[in-house]
Amino acid sequence: MKPEKPELLAPAGGMEAFVAAVENGADAVYLGARAFSARRYASNFSEEELEEAIDYAHLRGVKVYVTVNTLLKEKEVENALKLLSWLRQIGTDAIIIQDLGLISLARKYLPDLPLHASTQMTLHNSEGVEFAKKLGIERVVLSRECSLEEIEQMRKKTGTEIEVFIHGALCISYSGQCLLSSLIGGRSGNRGFCAQPCRKKYRLYCEGKLIKTTGSYLLSPKDLNTTSGLGALIGAGIESFKIEGRMKRPEYVAGVVRIYRRLIDRYIENPAEYYVSEEEQETLTQLFNRGFTQGYFFENPRWELISRENPHNRGVPAGTVIGYDRRSSRIRVKLSKPLRLGDGIMVENAETRPEDKGKIISSMYTGKGQVYSAGAGDTVEIPFDSRAPSGSTVYRTHDKKLMDSLKKESESGSLRPKIPVFIMAIIAPGRPIRLEVKDRDSNAVAIESEYLVEKAKKQPTSKSQIEKQLSKLGNTIFEAAELHVTVDGDIFVPMGQLNELRTKAIEQLENLRIFRWKRKPLDTQQFFESEEKESREKAGQETEKTILESLPIRPMLSVSVYSLEGLEGALAGGADRIYFGEGLFRRPETSGKKESPAKRPEAVFENAVAEAQKAGKKIYFITPKLVKDSRMESVEKIFSIVRGLGADGVLVSNLGTLGLAKAGKIPFIVDSPLNIFNSHTFALLLQEGAQMAVISPELTLEELKSVASHGPAECIVYGRLELIESEHCLTGGLLGNNKGQCSAPCRSGKFKLVDEKNYEFPLLMDYECRMHLLNSRSLCMLEYVPEILESGVSSLRIETLGMENPDEIRKVTRAYRKAIDIYLESGKKGKDNCEKLGKGFTTGHYFRGVQ
């Protein structure tokens, strides 16, 4: 029995790449509109181009998924829903989506529009997938950090369609959980504007001492390539194989799609004889690579994940530098592969910046003079502005012959197999010609000619002549697979009549293949009138409630702490609510304390609850941001402890733990990793049972107001925000031995990364060996407490991640307690500001916002 063939899903950043994907064998293509796409730097598609692309694909039996997978600000939601309504109308097969609020609106007003959960939703456990399914998600694009075993388990437990990336660029952070580009430069990855600071240089320090590393690109992953393991992925029953690359050129899309089409078909045809040829692997390498990895499918790649020496395309080795002529500014190269004019090269160890190491060959010389091309074994001289030491490898990063060939073939329209059609004709004297054309997708056209068939006076038109004429489908996408012509007696039919009838039938069949996917237009204005009415009614109820009760809401001060000592400091400083995360992170042994075991001891929780209750304060236990299926048991244990000790609830950060808390009737607060950007997302989470939600730190004060007015909201006002949570442990990859179990070098001291501008980013490691990168500066909004309170939030939060000194925690908490109390009592701003707490603070996005 042959395995099920997975869908091959290709990227397209523009129309040329889209055609290349379709013509080279994609079953489906994903692309972005010019608004609300997570690849905003791609050219993307105008509305006219979107409809043209969808029609082009549907005519050829290919599906189109449109990405509307960014987080939406309040003012953008209406336009995003209008876009979805229009995409539905023109026949989009599915929307790839991230924003929970937009999901809830789409399910309410566009119930027949299929939704696929973007990898930006960070779905990585069965409970999260099940939660998304209940929201109306039909397919889930899982986090790229999931193993094949985990994927199979999620698919089996949930019955949900699964899509995974099989080739292309990887992110160092879990998608949807990266704030690095956002907080460094205001370009949010959650909004499609990632500037890729992970591809920059960093230095690693431990306890202030520089650690020498091979290469400086410590956060730049290699590219994914699953060709060798493709059979196992097919055997797992994964529904869709996705190629990354909406920012790549059309020739890249053409080449990668063509090879994976061939490999999938090869495996399906004969699994036992599956192979990947050297030519196929070299073509993938030539098209683009930063080095290749199989990612996390089969094992944790650890030290082999990162391309530390070069964050750019390295192409294929093409030769070795054997000298440099200063007078002519030429490098002398002994070739191992052919080079031609127009090829691109990159020279290892060239004395220049990495981005300037590459060049396009415009001239090349041998002993015979200037040449157009040279082969393996030849020695050539190539003009090059920078000196490169002898022995340096020369890489061919652009193969002009290959790219020209891919472009020409993709534009020819001859690559994709023709669609077989069944043609039947009935021809009898004195009657119209009846022609029926059917395709394999149950589309059928039946038409009759205006012309009445004549009885032959001399030479009758033969059946074979008619069959030959009807089978001439020319440059259409069809081919006549079967032909049945019934002729009654001797008849005469002009060939022009047959041609005209055949052309009309084929045009109608084409239109049928396209228009069967179109949907009836909806009046989008009714959506928003309905939403505004609900909003006004709710506002009226809240106003009436406030007038009746006349009880002002006193904002709370929450403090997240990670030790008993931190808890004591927060309580002493005047915290109203504690988020307790003892045991989530490893402590260096140099701190003078023994490392806590991976499973947090119940005695610590007992003491924490007792301390909080003694002070008359609330306490919630922090659950991990990321929890695989194999670790859900530890979360359930936390829930059990909450019940047993009478704690107030838990803080949840992913849809899986949220769903588990809801099912277990554990009170919960939703944390900021769930990316609450607008009131619709906020409302959905409150409807699901959240007591309160922590609003995204990417919103400005003004944007915060538009969300916080809709319910109990909390915002972070102090602390180092987490920029990255990564499955890759940088210290273990660099310093742990590479022969099995990691030696846990993170216990040897405090680590930090330092960028090229000398900003220092602390590193923390957790008990699942994940790496957490903190911002170089702490957020501090002390002097803006009145403005924060006036935004309508119910709670202000101090985040102490990376802070170990309980006196510091007490000092910060007391400062905010004082600022809140002064404003509540007098309506005035306190005199203290952030300088009282230290130096080097940031106000985050409260005033600048993100793109």
Side-chain angles (χ1 to χ4, degrees):
M1 183 177 175
K2 288 186 177 181
E4 289 289 324
K5 184 182 287 191
E7 171 187 87
L8 179 58
L9 177 57
M15 186 58 80
E16 198 176 343
F18 180 84
V19 172
V22 172
E23 294 301 321
N24 283 277
D27 298 307
V29 183
Y30 67 102
L31 48 86
R34 289 193 174 149
F36 315 124
S37 168
R39 290 291 181 270
R40 299 284 275 275
Y41 294 123
S43 58
N44 290 315
F45 290 72
S46 66
E47 288 192 358
E48 182 180 334
E49 288 171 332
L50 274 171
E51 187 163 15
E52 180 186 345
I54 289 171
D55 290 351
Y56 181 95
H58 284 167
L59 179 58
R60 291 158 178 78
V62 174
K63 293 182 177 181
V64 177
Y65 308 139
V66 179
T67 58
V68 185
N69 58 340
T70 60
L71 297 177
L72 302 173
K73 297 180 181 181
E74 191 73 18
K75 63 184 180 181
E76 297 171 331
V77 174
E78 180 174 338
N79 284 336
L81 189 57
K82 285 180 178 177
L83 174 62
L84 291 196
S85 179
W86 182 77
L87 290 171
R88 169 196 169 277
Q89 180 183 329
I90 64 173
T92 304
D93 293 279
I95 303 297
I96 301 175
I97 195 166
Q98 176 188 12
D99 191 279
L100 287 170
L102 187 59
I103 290 172
S104 68
L105 290 173
R107 282 288 60 87
K108 183 176 180 180
Y109 295 114
L110 307 168
D112 62 346
L113 179 61
L115 302 180
H116 294 177
S118 169
T119 190
Q120 289 287 122
M121 285 183 69
T122 325
L123 292 168
H124 59 283
N125 55 50
S126 296
E127 285 79 4
V129 173
E130 192 63 44
F131 191 95
K133 184 177 179 181
K134 290 176 182 176
L135 292 179
I137 295 294
E138 294 185 9
R139 177 188 290 182
V140 167
V141 188
L142 291 174
S143 294
R144 281 172 265 206
E145 292 78 4
C146 295
S147 71
L148 185 57
E149 182 180 351
E150 291 163 345
I151 292 167
E152 289 180 290
Q153 183 175 353
M154 283 184 268
R155 187 174 177 273
K156 183 178 179 181
K157 287 178 69 174
T158 67
T160 303
E161 280 191 26
I162 299 296
E163 180 176 304
V164 298
F165 284 92
I166 59 165
H167 196 92
L170 291 171
C171 293
I172 187 64
S173 177
Y174 272 80
S175 294
Q177 301 304 318
C178 183
L179 295 176
L180 183 60
S181 175
S182 172
L183 283 163
I184 284 179
R187 298 181 182 181
S188 173
N190 284 319
R191 302 263 299 154
F193 290 106
C194 180
Q196 297 193 322
C198 53
R199 303 292 183 189
K200 301 295 185 181
K201 285 184 176 182
Y202 294 89
R203 306 186 301 278
L204 180 65
Y205 287 81
C206 180
E207 298 294 337
K209 294 182 180 179
L210 176 66
I211 296 174
K212 292 184 179 180
T213 59
T214 304
S216 300
Y217 301 97
L218 305 182
L219 297 177
S220 180
K222 297 176 182 176
D223 289 347
L224 185 63
N225 179 331
T226 62
T227 51
S228 62
L230 204 63
L233 299 180
I234 293 173
I238 297 166
E239 281 79 8
S240 182
F241 287 181
K242 186 173 193 172
I243 296 167
E244 183 277 337
R246 280 194 288 146
M247 297 287 288
K248 299 290 199 310
R249 56 192 298 164
E251 296 87 346
Y252 170 89
V253 173
V256 176
V257 170
R258 182 184 300 184
I259 289 174
Y260 274 95
R261 172 78 284 148
R262 190 186 302 159
L263 295 179
I264 290 170
D265 293 347
R266 182 181 297 160
Y267 183 86
I268 295 295
E269 184 62 31
N270 189 347
E273 298 295 325
Y274 176 77
Y275 67 93
V276 184
S277 71
E278 288 185 16
E279 180 185 1
E280 289 164 339
Q281 200 63 264
E282 182 168 317
T283 298
L284 290 174
T285 305
Q286 179 64 77
L287 286 169
F288 195 96
N289 82 94
R290 298 180 180 92
F292 283 132
T293 174
Q294 292 193 95
Y296 292 90
F297 283 118
F298 305 107
E299 62 181 358
N300 190 320
R302 298 186 186 279
W303 42 87
E304 295 178 354
L305 179 71
I306 303 298
S307 178
R308 299 190 190 98
E309 295 186 20
N310 181 17
H312 308 293
N313 177 28
R314 62 178 62 176
V316 297
T320 305
V321 175
I322 59 175
Y324 179 75
D325 188 329
R326 291 185 179 179
R327 289 175 297 177
S328 61
S329 295
R330 297 177 186 170
I331 52 172
R332 190 174 298 110
V333 182
K334 179 77 171 179
L335 296 181
S336 57
K337 290 192 182 301
L339 282 181
R340 302 171 184 82
L341 298 188
D343 285 352
I345 60 170
M346 185 271 290
V347 183
E348 182 185 52
N349 300 323
E351 296 176 354
T352 183
R353 297 181 303 170
E355 54 269 32
D356 295 333
K357 285 185 178 181
K359 70 163 293 177
I360 298 294
I361 301 173
S362 57
S363 59
M364 186 165 54
Y365 305 85
T366 66
K368 299 177 182 179
Q370 189 167 355
V371 295
Y372 170 78
S373 63
D378 291 345
T379 298
V380 297
E381 290 186 357
I382 302 171
F384 203 76
D385 294 334
S386 305
R387 184 181 177 278
S390 294
S392 299
T393 300
V394 176
Y395 293 89
R396 187 180 63 205
T397 55
H398 177 83
D399 185 333
K400 186 177 186 299
K401 182 179 179 182
L402 171 65
M403 302 301 255
D404 287 350
S405 172
L406 289 168
K407 180 179 176 65
K408 183 178 180 180
E409 291 171 0
S410 297
E411 292 175 348
S412 70
S414 62
L415 291 176
R416 194 169 186 92
K418 298 266 188 178
I419 296 170
V421 292
F422 170 78
I423 300 176
M424 183 175 72
I426 300 174
I427 306 175
R431 300 181 63 83
I433 303 170
R434 180 174 176 79
L435 184 64
E436 293 184 15
V437 185
K438 298 179 182 178
D439 66 18
R440 62 190 174 189
D441 299 314
S442 302
N443 299 299
V445 170
I447 61 173
E448 292 185 346
S449 65
E450 294 180 6
Y451 165 79
L452 298 180
V453 178
E454 302 172 48
K455 188 171 178 62
K457 294 178 179 178
K458 293 182 180 180
Q459 184 113 8
T461 305
S462 69
K463 180 179 176 181
S464 61
Q465 286 178 299
I466 296 169
E467 288 175 339
K468 182 179 180 181
Q469 206 63 27
L470 291 178
S471 65
K472 290 181 178 180
L473 301 184
N475 293 326
T476 71
I477 63 167
F478 303 109
E479 64 178 359
E482 285 188 61
L483 201 61
H484 292 282
V485 176
T486 301
V487 177
D488 185 7
D490 291 340
I491 51 95
F492 173 75
V493 180
M495 293 299 105
Q497 291 291 337
L498 289 174
N499 291 341
E500 182 181 346
L501 195 62
R502 181 200 63 218
T503 300
K504 284 182 180 179
I506 290 300
E507 285 178 353
Q508 286 186 26
L509 184 62
E510 288 178 342
N511 289 333
L512 192 58
R513 289 178 65 86
I514 291 171
F515 287 101
R516 65 180 293 192
W517 301 106
K518 308 287 185 182
R519 301 179 182 94
K520 184 179 178 181
L522 296 173
D523 180 9
T524 54
Q525 195 56 41
Q526 65 174 331
F527 304 166
F528 304 106
E529 289 174 357
S530 174
E531 285 296 309
E532 288 173 10
K533 182 180 178 182
E534 287 184 21
S535 180
R536 286 195 300 269
E537 288 175 353
K538 182 179 177 183
Q541 291 167 2
E542 291 297 323
T543 302
E544 182 180 356
K545 180 180 176 182
T546 303
I547 293 171
L548 290 174
E549 295 180 0
S550 299
L551 291 174
I553 298 173
R554 182 179 178 84
M556 298 187 76
L557 178 60
S558 303
V559 184
S560 56
V561 297
Y562 301 89
S563 67
L564 279 173
E565 296 86 354
L567 177 144
E568 291 166 357
L571 290 175
D576 297 307
R577 176 168 44 220
I578 299 294
Y579 299 137
F580 189 64
E582 167 72 37
L584 284 174
F585 297 95
R586 293 179 182 269
R587 293 180 182 176
E589 292 181 349
T590 54
S591 66
K593 297 178 181 179
K594 290 186 177 181
E595 186 182 15
S596 300
K599 293 183 179 179
R600 295 184 272 182
E602 192 166 337
V604 174
F605 289 105
E606 289 178 1
N607 290 338
V609 172
E611 288 290 328
Q613 291 179 342
K614 180 181 177 182
K617 308 300 181 182
K618 295 182 177 295
I619 183 167
Y620 290 72
F621 294 160
I622 303 174
T623 59
K625 183 193 299 184
L626 301 169
V627 189
K628 299 287 188 73
D629 278 7
S630 59
R631 297 297 297 156
M632 273 295 179
E633 189 177 316
S634 64
V635 173
E636 290 173 339
K637 183 176 179 181
I638 294 175
F639 292 174
S640 177
I641 294 173
V642 168
R643 293 189 192 97
L645 297 179
D648 294 281
V650 294
L651 193 65
V652 298
S653 298
N654 70 72
L655 292 179
T657 49
L658 187 159
L660 205 62
K662 180 181 177 181
K665 298 183 178 179
I666 301 293
F668 64 92
I669 292 172
V670 170
D671 206 356
S672 60
L674 275 164
N675 292 322
I676 298 95
F677 247 69
N678 56 65
S679 64
H680 302 281
T681 298
F682 189 26
L684 172 66
L685 294 171
L686 293 179
Q687 288 165 13
E688 291 296 329
Q691 293 181 338
M692 186 172 69
V694 185
I695 308 303
S696 170
E698 292 192 275
L699 297 188
T700 64
L701 262 173
E702 284 302 309
E703 291 162 349
L704 177 65
K705 289 179 183 178
S706 66
V707 180
S709 61
H710 291 265
E714 180 172 275
C715 65
I716 301 171
V717 295
Y718 187 89
R720 290 186 187 268
L721 296 177
E722 186 174 298
L723 305 183
I724 284 176
E725 181 165 352
S726 176
E727 195 74 14
H728 173 70
C729 176
L730 189 149
T731 57
L734 286 170
L735 307 175
N737 67 70
N738 58 2
K739 297 179 181 178
Q741 198 68 26
C742 176
S743 57
C746 56
R747 293 179 298 184
S748 62
K750 294 179 181 178
F751 287 85
K752 64 184 177 184
L753 284 180
V754 180
D755 69 9
E756 294 174 282
K757 295 182 179 179
N758 291 319
Y759 286 105
E760 300 179 357
F761 301 86
L763 287 174
L764 297 177
M765 313 302 163
D766 65 26
Y767 281 97
E768 298 301 319
C769 291
R770 295 193 183 102
M771 174 183 72
H772 302 252
L773 182 74
L774 306 185
N775 198 11
S776 59
R777 294 183 177 184
S778 282
L779 173 69
C780 184
M781 292 292 290
L782 184 59
E783 51 258 59
Y784 301 104
V785 164
E787 289 87 340
I788 295 285
L789 294 174
E790 289 166 5
S791 72
V793 295
S794 305
S795 178
L796 281 64
R797 175 172 167 187
I798 294 169
E799 173 58 66
T800 70
L801 200 59
M803 292 170 59
E804 293 187 357
N805 189 329
D807 290 335
E808 182 183 1
I809 293 172
R810 176 184 52 77
K811 179 181 177 181
V812 171
T813 306
R814 182 169 291 170
Y816 275 91
R817 174 81 279 156
K818 182 179 177 183
I820 293 170
D821 291 345
I822 288 174
Y823 180 76
L824 292 178
E825 291 168 6
S826 66
K828 297 180 180 179
K829 180 186 292 190
K831 295 181 180 180
D832 292 339
N833 56 36
C834 292
E835 290 183 4
K836 178 182 178 181
L837 303 176
K839 294 182 179 180
F841 290 107
T842 175
T843 55
H845 286 304
Y846 281 111
F847 299 108
R848 69 172 182 174
V850 294
Q851 281 185 295

